[in-house]
Amino acid sequence: MKKTLTMINIEYLEVSYGRKAPALSIDQLQIGRGEHVAVIGPSGAGKTTLLRSIKGYVRPSQGKIEVAGVNLWTARRREQRQISRRLGLIYQQFHLAPRLTVLQNVLCGTLGATSRWRSLLGCFSAEDLRIAWSAIREVGLQEQVHQRADTLSGGEQQRVAVARALAQQPSVIIADEPVSSLDPAWTEDVLKLIATVQSRHDVTLVMSLHQPHLARRFAERVLALRNGRLVFDGPPSALSDDRLEELYRGNNVISLDRAPNTTRSAEATPA
Ligand code: ADP
């Protein structure tokens, strides 16, 4: 096993929205440095809430979540900033600035590492430019570098988003349904690119996927959520069709015709 260092540590985490029952409730979850993890589960299972919790966008109502040993809610501001800027995000809808060029969008990824006045003025150093160019080359968009983002195809825009995340020189990449807006050809292309980038840079990747078969193909570890709880944690090879059917029972992602027999304690296998 190459991965031993814990990058993300979750203990007795509960996240609630308002007074509703917790949207997420996970006792123990550790994700190692350089792991490629897919999060699956039916709609409303808590996938986005988990990803947002890792990024520090939602405050836990109970328990804790640490990234590289830092609890984003209790750490000093400086430490919080240091960790936050190393958490790269890739979204379903790309979240690019449409009127800016590929290069300008990717440069935005370096902003967290730039001083406040520089970022306010949009001044980038030679080092920022070097990092951005290197990320653009890595995703194969050199020829479109001065093209506006809104003139690119969806798949190309997601490539820009990958480059922007890379320009953050991330320790963790969080990808929230990164291929849900793409057609099958671009889905394949973008997932392969994300996997290549993840492994080349030894980044921890936590990616939610709407389509479980893609998690089985691309990830090395799959976490399955249902009703905010972790109901499967293991390699894709252990995620049988029967387990998927149980997981998505009542959801029309895949066909369902067997009775459920899973329990949390039986299925969850913390790393
Ligand atoms: P998934 O990504 O698996 O579809 P989510 O994490 O988006 O699931 O949602 C988990 C649960 O939390 C759902 O019941 C959803 O309705 C609820 N939820 C998510 N975001 C909010 C919010 N901002 N306010 C209130 N409830 C929310």
Side-chain angles (χ1 to χ4, degrees):
M1 268 304 273
K2 56 170 179 150
K3 286 124 195 174
T4 48
L5 215 82
T6 298
M7 181 58 74
I8 298 166
N9 179 41
I10 290 176
E11 292 177 22
Y12 304 104
L13 180 75
E14 276 194 11
V15 179
S16 304
Y17 294 103
R19 293 181 180 195
K20 288 206 280 188
L24 189 66
S25 180
I26 296 178
D27 285 353
Q28 295 286 332
L29 175 63
Q30 283 79 38
I31 299 176
R33 179 174 165 191
E35 274 199 278
H36 181 165
V37 177
V39 184
I40 62 168
S43 189
K47 303 181 294 295
T48 300
T49 303
L50 174 60
L51 268 48
R52 285 169 58 78
S53 303
I54 295 170
K55 178 63 185 168
Y57 285 163
V58 278
R59 187 175 200 127
S61 38
Q62 301 277 338
K64 70 171 178 185
I65 180 156
E66 293 169 333
V67 179
V70 174
N71 181 331
L72 286 171
W73 293 100
T74 57
R76 287 162 193 259
R77 198 165 269 200
R78 189 151 174 254
E79 242 182 340
Q80 287 174 4
R81 269 209 304 271
Q82 275 171 353
I83 290 297
S84 279
R85 76 167 194 240
R86 298 280 176 160
L87 289 170
L89 290 174
I90 300 171
Y91 301 91
Q92 180 180 343
Q93 297 293 346
F94 326 130
H95 281 223
L96 302 178
R99 288 160 183 267
L100 297 187
T101 65
V102 169
L103 178 62
Q104 288 167 326
N105 269 286
V106 176
L107 275 167
C108 290
T110 67
L111 283 176
T114 307
S115 70
R116 186 160 295 190
W117 70 265
R118 267 182 178 276
S119 53
L120 283 172
L121 294 171
C123 299
F124 296 97
S125 65
E127 177 63 2
D128 292 335
L129 278 166
R130 189 195 63 74
I131 290 168
W133 270 101
S134 157
I136 288 165
R137 269 197 297 273
E138 200 162 338
V139 303
L141 287 177
Q142 306 90 302
E143 291 186 7
Q144 291 91 335
V145 73
H146 297 303
Q147 210 169 311
R148 264 173 58 154
D150 58 2
T151 65
L152 301 172
S153 70
E156 287 170 330
Q157 290 191 47
Q158 200 57 304
R159 282 187 161 247
V160 178
V162 172
R164 181 182 57 190
L166 262 182
Q168 285 180 249
Q169 302 188 302
S171 306
V172 178
I173 292 180
I174 299 166
D176 194 1
E177 304 212 359
V179 291
S180 290
S181 308
L182 303 179
D183 65 29
W186 274 115
T187 292
E188 184 85 12
D189 175 272
V190 166
L191 286 179
K192 277 186 182 158
L193 174 70
I194 291 175
T196 305
V197 157
Q198 179 276 328
S199 123
R200 188 178 296 151
H201 295 268
D202 204 24
V203 175
T204 302
L205 171 66
V206 186
M207 172 167 60
S208 65
L209 286 171
H210 188 60
Q211 305 96 320
H213 68 278
L214 293 175
R216 279 208 291 211
R217 271 191 58 208
F218 284 95
E220 61 180 19
R221 177 180 175 189
V222 179
L223 305 177
L225 293 172
R226 188 170 175 116
N227 297 328
R229 294 187 173 265
L230 192 58
V231 293
F232 176 87
D233 178 357
S237 56
L239 193 61
S240 62
D241 288 346
D242 284 353
R243 283 196 169 180
L244 277 180
E245 285 187 7
E246 288 158 1
L247 181 66
Y248 285 91
R249 182 166 295 280
N251 191 287
N252 54 11
V253 172
I254 52 176
S255 65
L256 309 163
D257 53 20
R258 287 167 55 96
N261 62 359
T262 53
T263 63
R264 183 179 186 192
S265 55
E267 294 249 32
T269 321

